[in-house]
Structure formats: structure tokens, C-alpha cells
Amino acid sequence: GVRDVLFLYEENRCSMTYMYEYPEYLKIKLPKKTARRYPAYELYLYGEGNYAEENKNLLLTGIPVLFLPGNAGSYKQVRSLGSIALRKAEDVDFKYHFNFFSVNFNEELVALYGGSLQRQTKFVHECIKVILKLYRDREFAPSSVAIVGHSMGGLVARALLTLKNFKPELINLLITQATPHIAPVMPLDKYLTDFYTAVNNHWILKAQDLRNLTTLSVAGGFRDYQVRSGLAFLPRLSQHDSALSVVSSAVPRAWASTDHLSIVWCKELILATIRAFFDLIDENTRQITADPKKRMSVLNHHFVRHPAKMFEENPEAFTELTGAFMWITVKASKWTYSVYNDSDGKYFAFPLASHRKSYSHVYCENSMLDTSSWIYGCMNTNSSMCLEAADLSWRAELLPTTKVVMLKLQDYPSLSHIVIQVPPAVGNKYTLGCEFFEEDSRTVQLPVTHLFSFGLSSSKILLNSTGLLYNVQLQNFNQIYQAFKIYIEGHCQSLKERKPSVYRLHIPWSHEDSIIVAKVPSLAEISAKLHIAQPHNDSSLPELHIYSSPDCQYEVILKTSLLQVLGQIVRFHAGAFPVYIVSNILLTYGGQLSTLRSTGQCSDFSLELVRTAKPYKVEPLISIVVFLQGFNWFREIWESLSLPEVDAAVLSSQDAWFPLVSLILFLFGTGIAYWSGVFFSTALRLFSSLWLTLIRPTVLQKDKLITPRRLYVMISLALVSWTTCGAFAVLIIYLQYLPVHVFVTSVFHFQDSGHSEETSQNSSTHTVKAQSSVDSTADATQSPSNSTTIAEAVNLLKMHITILNLFTWIVLLSLPSFIYWLKNLRYNVRLDPDPCRPTAIILVCILEILMNSSTSEVKSSKLLKIAAKVPLPLSVAMLAFGRMHLYRVPHFVTFSLLLHVLCCIV
């Protein structure tokens, strides 16, 4: 599954964007108060060559666009947009042009640490005010700014509207690229999840206030494994006329999936964006239009359905058919025509009266990919010629190799003829085709194979007719855990050269189509899987459109792809892996305490994992709670107890929960936990062997749990946590804890190896005399105290391995805030806010005590019974409330370790 997500996706079909002149970034001077408050952030203006020189005095006359980089993103990523916009402005002699600004967020890791998101949002607000001041007293001064946000930059842009003193009219257009709008990819701290909740709640509750803001979200598709496209779809709002979400594979003239970085430089996608920007300009104000309806129609034109014509706001209803063209009447129901070096233009007229009774639709295609009109509807009933006709080219749709139009005859009762215009084509070669057909004859239904068929069975269908268009409806394909491979094989009657076939997988409830162009005859393979599950109020079916060659037959074979099903599980739930792994380790930890209490011996990590980490101990209880939350009375009781919502219920409401997915993730967690235990045991053995060769270990000494030195270390690390970064203190105590394991392991190996030394009575009391326990003479010579010491060392080693395993995951989950702090150390020594600080102070004290603890103290504790039973409910709680809130995981582990410490004391 991991391999499917990270490696098995389509090849990169994006072209690189290039600068024709050297890019320059002019730093904009900010007000002193703003610069002092945000020392790490900067604002730049992009330019090239002469344009950059002209703008050095900041006498700007263009349309302002602000680019916001994302997680660890650079302000220089604006160059693709800025450069192509500059070339486009040169094409129109700078009648209109755009000024691209970019914010430098110091490449902060905001996807992993949410503490700076609010600060970034406030800085962007200040930048917008500074940008608009630059245009003051200009003839066409803008009153708003368009924003392009990549990744987390798009979320920061949406968060502007949550600021109390922000005026919504300051933004008129927002385009986000691969922005996770729904939820964070890795919810590693509370500030991140709270920020998301605040932004999404504001956009849902204040939906009416956002009508003047047009928002477009572009997702990268399956190539983007960092942000899955389902997260990039804007939350379903009450108003659908001002927000649009598309996947790049469905964008006309791009038709390419992009990875998380290439979405900012993919030439095809950038061209579509810049074309949209120029079509959005109002000729009167020389700025982006204030009309929300026009903005949406432009975005739909360039990002959803392109009719292969230049955008026109109000196209003329009727067009005069002029020119000395020859008129030819075509009465056949199926017609193809090849054009090559034709010096005379022609009009082909198709009378509709004879076809209305037999056929329901007419379909036409044209391989000449220019932007001129080519298909018309006439209302002349008496003549085979018509001078004035309705331009039906606006009903067409652009595909990679052709432009197509399909009309339902019933919708055009007043039309007498369909007219195809073929202009003179000197040096050009292209083909046209039209056919009338009954919809039922070209629409077939193909039931998808069951999830548990594992690709052993298949559904297949043979398309016998030789038409230009087929529509295969995929029944019961509506869930994100479904994944299929579709094979399409074309069989042609002759071996002549023919146009390639186009296959489009159309998902009607979201703009996530994918298109493949294949030569015929050949075998094409399509991966069919969803970014978004079918909404409950939608009954439409996904469709496979086959734009075919006229004399070919097609066979469609569909199979379940187990590899891609696992890939979907990883894609949608990889962020929850740490929760399942730690849950398994915590269950094992509880099992070890239980065996220590019952037998006096601590069991081995791997054996205890197999014995105690069972999914039936945790999963049924969560499933029961989720089921009961469907009842109002239970939900009221739950809310009255101030308990957070169960994450599985939230995922179910988002249609992101699979049947049996939790079991699969739990088993995966068991596997990772097992091998992590093996890794730690092996690593400790290797390090202890190295330790033995360098230092001769002493016996394990029983010391006080809390000594002045340890108290000093606790206070020092607590101060480090309070004054700098909590994760830094956690990392220090972790690195301090590691040698303890090496020491305990080396003591055990040394005492258990059978080595002994000849010493006098005056030799050091720390010298160890031991023989191998496997030696037959050991029982006679080995002292009871030495046997006890070895047993104690074994128990301590096994317990320490489990605690080290748990603590390693705490360190890993707190590492992002440490990296963020380290990167921003030159601006601020103290990380504020710090998500790890309270937990870190407690953990420092716990680990410092556990380093000198012994299992003999724990065995005799009155609290051991409670400490052994608590990890089970903690594991259940962790899976219930930690899947979408990873920052809660260290809290559960800390509580369990705290009980262990109390067992050492009480």
C-alpha cells in the first residue's frame, strides 16, 4: 500500500516553466511597527529585466496579486506565475498587466507546527494594506488584492476572514494550490487543529458574507502523496456559486496530475491560471471584475469545461454564416470527413426532421483544435441554406486530441438543421465526424467487482457497435476504499492510420476526472479510484467515456486491484499509524506489568506483544460508542460529560472510514511495534558489546530514587523546557536515558557471560564474580545474590526496552516543534506558543526517576495492580480520540508512565 502511494502513479506530464530574463525580487519596505513585530517575515515584488528596472521606484500601475508559500515554501516560487503573466502582458502591449507580490515566511514548517499560523495570517493582513497603499492616487487604483496560496498558504489566506478587523472586500479572488482545507495532514499539535476548526467553522457559519469572494481550489491528484486531493476540496458550503474545487487531472489543456511542488511550476496549469487572470479583467476599471458571476464563469471556462473558444462574457446568440462556401446536405446518420489542403470552404447541413423520430442525440467531433466556431444550429425550415444560425460551438468541450459536442435533440425543438463549417485548410490536415444515435444504444452498465474478489474475478463487456462515442456506467462504484484496474482493448477492422482514442473516467459528483489518450489498436490501462466518496443525496453513476475510432470495437475488462485498495487505506489513514503503533506498545507495557505482578518476572517484549496486543480488546468498544452516538439521548449524555467527539464518528461523517480499516491499521501497528522492539533489543546488544570492550561495568547498585543530583537535573531541564522549547528538554532526557539501557544490558551480559576474575579479599567490592547460568556447575558456585542481580538486570532490561519504545514515539511526535524552534532560534530563544511544554516538564521528572528505578520496588508496590490495568483503557481512549489528534498520544503515555513512577514510590 505504501509503495502504491509513493511510487505507482502516472508519469509527470507537466512541462517546466522557464524565465526568459533573470528573475529579481524587490524587497518592499514595511512600516517600522510591522517589521519590528514580524522580524522573520518579508514582502517582495517579482520582476524580470526591464520590467524589474521600471518598478524599482514602486510606481506601480498593474493589478496586484499576492502569492503565499506553504509549509517550508519559498517566496521565490512566485516566479512561474509572475514570468508567464509578464509574457502574456507583452502579448497585449501592456494594456493590462499584473504585479506579483510574494511573502517570505522564512520557510516555516507550519504543516507540522500550528503555533505560527495566526502570526502569518496577521502579517498577510498587514501586507495587503501595504500593497494597496502603493497604488494610492493612481488612475486605476485597486481596492482589493487577488491571492494565490500554495499548500498551507491557501489556508492562511482563508484565515484572513476570521480576523476581527479584516475587511472582506480586500480580497476578491482566492486561488489555492494543493491546500489541505478539510483537516491537517498530520495533526501534531492543538494549535494546528484549533486553527482549522476556527477557519472552517467561520466559512460555514458566515457563508453569506463570503459571496463576494470567489475561491478556486486546485488539487494535485494521485501524484501528490503529501496532501491527498480529498483534503483539498473546499468544505461543502451552502453557496455553490462562489467556490470551486478541481483536481489538476481534470483541468482542460492540462489533464495532468501534479506532485505537491510541481503544482506551482506546472506550465499547463500556470497557463490556465494566467489565462483566467486576464479574462477576469474589467475593461472599465482595469482591475479584476467585481462581478462574482463573471468570475465563476471564467473559472469554469478555464478549469472545468473549456469549449475550445476564447472566453466571452455575453456571446452573441446568432451568427451570420457568410462567405462563398459550398452548401452540402448530408442525410446519413453517420458521417466522417477528412480535410487536407482544401482551398474551398464548405458548409455541411444535417436536416434534423428525418432523425428526430429514430434518434435522441447527435454527437460531433472535430480534430482542428483552433478557437473558431465550427458548429451551428439553423432554424430555416424551407431552404437547405441558412444565413443566420445559433452558434453551438459554445456547447462543445475540448479534449486532448479533439473537440466534441453532444446535443440532445429534444432540447432544441426549433432547430431544423445542424451545420458544420469547414473553412479552407491550406497545409492543414484534420478530420470531422458526426453521428445520430439513441442514447440507450450507446450506454451500457458494468457492475464493478467486489472488494474481496482480490482481482481474481473480473467484469467485462464487449461494445459491438462501431460508433464514435460509448458511455460505460460503473455500477456500485462510490466509496473511497474501492480501487480497480480497467483494461480497454480496441479491435479495428483495417490497419490504416487512425486518430488515437480518448478515454475519460468521469466522476459526476466532483471535478476529479482523469483522461488517457491511447493509440488504436492497443491495450490501455486505467486506474479507477476516488478522491471523494459519493454524497448521500447523490444517485449518479461514475462513467467511462470512450471517444473511439469509427471502425473499431472495444472490450472493457474491470478488476479489483488489491494493491491500490491498500494504497487507498495508506492514503487516507497514514496519519493515524503512530496511534495504532503506540496503542500496541502500551498494551504490551500493561501486559509486562501484569506478568511482573503475577510471576515476579518481566516478560519479553515480543512475546508479550503477541499475547496482549489483540484488536478485539479495543475495537468493539469504540464501534459500540460510534453506533450509540447515532442516538440523540446518548449524544446528549456524551456532551454533558464534556467528552470530545470520537474520531471514528468524524471520519464516518466525512465518508473517509472503511469497513475493517481499523483492524487492518491495528495489525499494521502490531507489525511495526514488533519490529521496533526487535530493533531496540538488537541495537542495545550491539552498543552494550561495544561498551564492554571499552568499560568494565560495575554491579547494579540500589540507590535512592531522588538524589540531590537528580533533583538538580529535573529542575534544570524543567527550566530549559520553560525558557526555550519543551521538545528540546524531551530530547535531552531521551539522550540521557539511552546510556542507561546500554549500561543495564552490558551489566547483564557481563554477569551472564561466565567471566570471573581472580582477586584478593582487598579487591574492590564492585568486582563481579559470576559464572554462566547455562553451565552445569553454576548452581554450586553461583551465589544467591548474584542470581538475584542477574534476574533483576533481565527484568529491568525488558522493562526499559518497552519504556524506551514508548518514549521514542513521544520524541518523534514532538520533533516538528523542536525543528521549528531550532530554525527560528535567531529570532526568539523561547518557542511561544509551545505545544510540548507542560508534557515535557512532567516527562523530565518521570524519566529521571525511572532511570534509577528497579523492578523489585515495582513488584512490591500496592499500585501495581492499577498500573497494570490502566494501559488497556488508555489504549482504547487513544484510538478513540487520537486518530485525528496525534498530539493527545503523549498525554496517554505520560499518564501510564506516571503510574509506573508512583509504583516505585508507593
Side-chain angles (χ1 to χ4, degrees):
V2 172
R3 178 171 166 265
D4 176 69
V5 171
L6 298 182
F7 303 108
L8 302 182
Y9 41 69
E10 67 177 68
E11 62 181 8
N12 185 15
R13 297 207 291 261
C14 283
S15 305
M16 176 61 77
T17 48
Y18 293 97
M19 283 78 253
Y20 289 90
E21 296 174 280
Y22 194 78
E24 293 184 39
Y25 305 89
L26 179 64
K27 188 175 177 180
I28 306 295
K29 189 176 180 181
L30 299 170
K32 288 183 180 178
K33 187 179 177 182
T34 305
R36 194 165 52 248
R37 189 181 297 170
Y38 308 102
Y41 301 158
E42 297 166 324
L43 177 65
Y44 289 88
L45 172 65
Y46 177 81
E48 292 178 21
N50 291 333
Y51 169 78
E53 286 295 322
E54 291 167 5
N55 287 331
K56 280 190 176 176
N57 55 8
L58 294 178
L59 297 175
L60 307 177
T61 57
I63 302 165
V65 180
L66 179 61
F67 175 79
L68 305 179
N71 177 57
S74 168
Y75 65 95
K76 294 182 179 181
Q77 289 173 315
V78 72
R79 60 184 176 267
S80 295
L81 285 163
S83 183
I84 288 181
L86 184 59
R87 301 281 86 79
K88 180 83 172 170
E90 288 174 352
D91 290 344
V92 295
D93 294 324
F94 282 91
K95 182 182 179 182
Y96 314 111
H97 71 279
F98 289 86
N99 302 127
F100 275 86
F101 297 85
S102 185
V103 172
N104 178 16
F105 284 134
N106 193 32
E107 300 184 10
E108 290 181 337
L109 300 169
V110 285
L112 304 177
Y113 169 75
S116 63
L117 283 167
Q118 196 67 29
R119 188 161 57 246
Q120 286 191 0
T121 306
K122 290 176 180 177
F123 179 73
V124 172
H125 184 200
E126 296 300 322
C127 287
I128 291 171
K129 290 190 280 189
V130 169
I131 289 168
L132 292 176
K133 278 183 184 177
L134 295 174
Y135 295 87
R136 191 182 290 169
D137 303 326
R138 300 289 186 272
E139 185 182 357
F140 298 101
S143 59
S144 59
V145 174
I147 295 181
V148 178
H150 172 240
S151 188
M152 294 298 286
L155 189 74
V156 168
R158 287 180 61 216
L160 284 167
L161 297 151
T162 65
L163 298 177
K164 288 181 181 178
N165 56 347
F166 184 79
K167 298 174 183 177
E169 58 269 19
L170 291 178
I171 314 174
N172 52 15
L173 177 68
L174 170 59
I175 297 177
T176 67
Q177 302 170 324
T179 297
H181 291 293
I182 301 292
V185 177
M186 293 290 283
L188 290 168
D189 66 60
K190 192 174 187 295
Y191 308 113
L192 193 58
T193 53
D194 287 352
F195 189 82
Y196 265 90
T197 303
V199 172
N200 286 331
N201 285 349
H202 182 88
W203 275 60
I204 292 168
L205 296 172
K206 305 283 185 180
Q208 297 300 320
D209 301 339
L210 305 177
R211 296 213 161 197
N212 290 324
L213 171 63
T214 304
T215 310
L216 168 69
S217 175
V218 183
F222 290 110
R223 276 188 66 86
D224 188 352
Y225 54 78
Q226 293 183 48
V227 176
R228 64 175 176 85
S229 295
L231 290 177
F233 277 68
L234 290 159
R236 290 165 190 164
L237 307 176
S238 56
Q239 89 286 5
H240 291 281
D241 54 350
S242 65
L244 179 65
S245 300
V246 298
V247 178
S248 61
S249 60
V251 174
R253 303 173 80 172
W255 297 299
S257 177
T258 63
D259 60 56
H260 197 62
L261 287 178
S262 69
I263 199 167
V264 299
W265 57 253
C266 178
K267 185 179 177 182
E268 290 76 8
L269 207 55
I270 299 298
L271 282 170
T273 307
I274 297 302
R275 289 183 191 118
F277 269 129
F278 275 86
D279 283 339
L280 285 165
I281 297 173
D282 185 329
E283 291 189 8
N284 297 321
T285 63
R286 300 281 182 97
Q287 296 294 324
I288 287 177
T289 179
D291 182 4
K293 288 186 178 178
K294 181 185 176 182
R295 292 200 295 257
M296 279 307 294
S297 61
V298 169
L299 294 179
N300 275 295
H301 178 94
H302 289 283
F303 288 91
V304 178
R305 185 186 178 95
H306 198 295
K309 286 180 67 66
M310 304 294 282
F311 176 79
E312 292 180 30
E313 188 175 359
N314 297 306
E316 294 182 8
F318 293 96
T319 306
E320 290 184 7
L321 300 182
T322 57
F325 285 11
M326 184 189 302
W327 282 83
I328 302 170
T329 302
V330 180
K331 294 184 178 180
S333 62
K334 187 176 179 181
W335 168 84
T336 56
Y337 184 75
S338 294
V339 182
Y340 184 59
N341 275 343
D342 280 17
S343 57
D344 300 324
K346 299 180 179 67
Y347 286 119
F348 290 92
F350 298 80
L352 299 180
S354 58
H355 295 304
R356 287 186 184 276
K357 293 180 181 178
S358 306
Y359 305 109
S360 63
H361 288 71
V362 60
Y363 167 83
C364 294
E365 60 185 21
N366 183 354
S367 64
M368 171 61 88
L369 301 181
D370 60 355
T371 57
S372 57
S373 296
W374 61 283
I375 182 168
Y376 304 90
C378 280
M379 284 171 272
N380 288 3
T381 54
N382 300 323
S383 171
S384 60
M385 293 176 58
C386 67
L387 299 177
E388 193 175 61
D391 190 351
L392 299 177
S393 304
W394 292 103
R395 303 284 181 184
E397 184 174 10
L398 182 66
L399 295 174
T401 60
T402 184
K403 48 189 179 184
V404 302
V405 61
M406 186 167 70
L407 304 171
K408 190 176 182 179
L409 298 179
Q410 190 179 338
D411 295 341
Y412 301 90
S414 60
L415 294 186
S416 61
H417 292 75
I418 295 287
V419 177
I420 302 289
Q421 179 184 7
V422 181
V426 179
N428 289 329
K429 182 178 181 180
Y430 62 97
T431 58
L432 300 102
C434 281
E435 67 172 337
F436 293 85
F437 61 89
E438 188 65 34
E439 185 180 24
D440 293 342
S441 67
R442 295 296 169 83
T443 304
V444 293
Q445 292 190 332
L446 182 67
V448 299
T449 50
H450 196 269
L451 176 68
F452 296 110
S453 64
F454 302 118
L456 300 175
S457 62
S458 63
S459 289
K460 55 177 75 173
I461 196 162
L462 185 64
L463 306 171
N464 288 315
S465 61
T466 56
L468 298 174
L469 174 70
Y470 303 103
N471 183 13
V472 181
Q473 294 181 335
L474 305 176
Q475 293 178 305
N476 306 316
F477 179 31
N478 50 23
Q479 298 297 331
I480 52 175
Y481 56 80
Q482 294 175 296
F484 307 98
K485 281 187 178 179
I486 301 175
Y487 302 94
I488 305 172
E489 189 170 8
H491 305 280
C492 302
Q493 296 172 0
S494 60
L495 297 175
K496 66 178 183 180
E497 185 183 350
R498 53 178 53 79
K499 68 180 182 68
S501 294
V502 177
Y503 308 129
R504 175 165 69 176
L505 182 64
H506 174 60
I507 310 299
W509 56 81
S510 64
H511 302 296
E512 55 176 283
D513 294 8
S514 55
I515 292 180
I516 286 180
V517 179
K519 292 180 179 179
V520 180
S522 68
L523 180 67
E525 181 183 315
I526 299 173
S527 290
K529 48 197 174 190
L530 299 174
H531 294 293
I532 288 184
Q534 186 176 28
H536 298 295
N537 57 353
D538 194 311
S539 58
S540 55
L541 294 173
E543 297 171 337
L544 177 65
H545 297 158
I546 300 176
Y547 301 94
S548 56
S549 294
D551 59 344
C552 297
Q553 294 181 336
Y554 293 83
E555 184 179 25
V556 180
I557 302 169
L558 181 144
K559 291 182 177 180
T560 297
S561 172
L562 179 61
L563 183 68
Q564 293 186 57
V565 169
L566 293 173
Q568 287 291 82
I569 292 174
V570 173
R571 184 173 286 109
F572 280 81
H573 296 286
F577 282 166
V579 182
Y580 285 91
I581 297 165
V582 177
S583 176
N584 273 276
I585 300 170
L586 203 57
L587 286 171
T588 308
Y589 174 64
Q592 284 181 318
L593 290 176
S594 183
T595 54
L596 186 66
R597 176 175 169 267
S598 58
T599 65
Q601 301 295 322
C602 184
S603 54
D604 186 67
F605 177 85
S606 301
L607 295 174
E608 197 60 43
L609 179 74
V610 173
R611 190 179 71 84
T612 56
K614 304 294 184 185
Y616 59 77
K617 291 183 178 181
V618 292
E619 291 299 335
L621 187 59
I622 297 171
S623 300
I624 291 167
V625 171
V626 172
F627 173 74
L628 289 174
Q629 282 195 329
F631 299 98
N632 289 328
W633 62 268
F634 185 81
R635 203 157 48 242
E636 287 172 5
I637 295 169
W638 190 268
E639 289 170 0
S640 67
L641 296 171
S642 300
L643 290 169
E645 197 170 1
V646 177
D647 288 348
V650 178
L651 290 167
S652 296
S653 67
Q654 295 175 358
D655 296 317
W657 200 238
F658 309 175
L660 301 178
V661 68
S662 196
L663 175 63
I664 294 167
L665 293 172
F666 191 94
L667 296 176
F668 184 84
T670 308
I672 296 294
Y674 177 85
W675 287 109
S676 65
V678 171
F679 168 78
F680 280 121
S681 298
T682 308
L684 285 172
R685 287 175 188 276
L686 288 172
F687 280 117
S688 64
S689 300
L690 183 64
W691 186 289
L692 272 172
T693 59
L694 299 173
I695 301 168
R696 209 178 188 94
T698 59
V699 294
L700 288 169
Q701 298 178 36
K702 188 168 177 61
D703 199 357
K704 290 181 180 179
L705 281 174
I706 302 174
T707 62
R709 190 190 69 82
R710 288 199 181 90
L711 200 59
Y712 172 75
V713 172
M714 285 184 207
I715 294 168
S716 299
L717 288 176
L719 282 172
V720 167
S721 177
W722 188 259
T723 56
T724 58
C725 171
F728 182 43
V730 169
L731 188 62
I732 291 171
I733 195 73
Y734 179 73
L735 294 175
Q736 189 183 341
Y737 189 56
L738 278 174
V740 173
H741 294 75
V742 177
F743 174 72
V744 172
T745 313
S746 60
V747 168
F748 164 62
H749 280 302
F750 181 72
Q751 292 184 340
D752 198 39
S753 62
H755 291 94
S756 62
E757 286 188 4
E758 294 291 335
T759 59
S760 65
Q761 289 183 349
N762 296 325
S763 63
S764 172
T765 55
H766 294 302
T767 305
V768 180
K769 182 180 178 183
Q771 292 181 343
S772 174
S773 58
V774 295
D775 195 339
S776 58
T777 61
D779 294 335
T781 59
Q782 198 175 49
S783 66
S785 62
N786 199 35
S787 300
T788 307
T789 307
I790 293 174
E792 175 66 19
V794 171
N795 288 336
L796 203 54
L797 175 63
K798 290 174 179 177
M799 189 58 71
H800 275 313
I801 285 173
T802 308
I803 294 171
L804 180 66
N805 214 335
L806 281 171
F807 196 50
T808 300
W809 282 100
I810 293 178
V811 171
L812 289 174
L813 291 173
S814 62
L815 213 52
S817 61
F818 170 72
I819 295 168
Y820 179 92
W821 170 76
L822 205 60
K823 196 173 180 185
N824 290 271
L825 197 55
R826 68 178 184 270
Y827 301 108
N828 207 333
V829 174
R830 190 174 194 262
L831 181 64
D832 190 36
D834 187 351
C836 302
R837 187 167 289 132
T839 313
I841 293 170
I842 299 168
L843 277 171
V844 161
C845 301
I846 289 172
L847 266 293
E848 192 61 42
I849 293 170
L850 286 180
M851 271 191 266
N852 195 47
S853 65
S854 67
T855 53
S856 59
E857 293 164 341
V858 177
K859 276 190 281 188
S860 59
S861 173
K862 298 174 182 177
L863 292 175
L864 182 57
K865 186 177 180 181
I866 298 169
K869 290 185 176 180
V870 161
L872 176 58
L874 285 179
S875 293
V876 175
M878 194 185 295
L879 292 183
F881 306 117
R883 274 184 277 225
M884 295 177 68
H885 306 83
L886 289 179
Y887 61 87
R888 291 173 179 166
V889 171
H891 303 160
F892 295 114
V893 176
T894 304
F895 183 75
S896 194
L897 293 176
L898 185 61
L899 285 175
H900 190 138
V901 169
L902 291 175
C903 286
C904 297
I905 299 168
V906 181

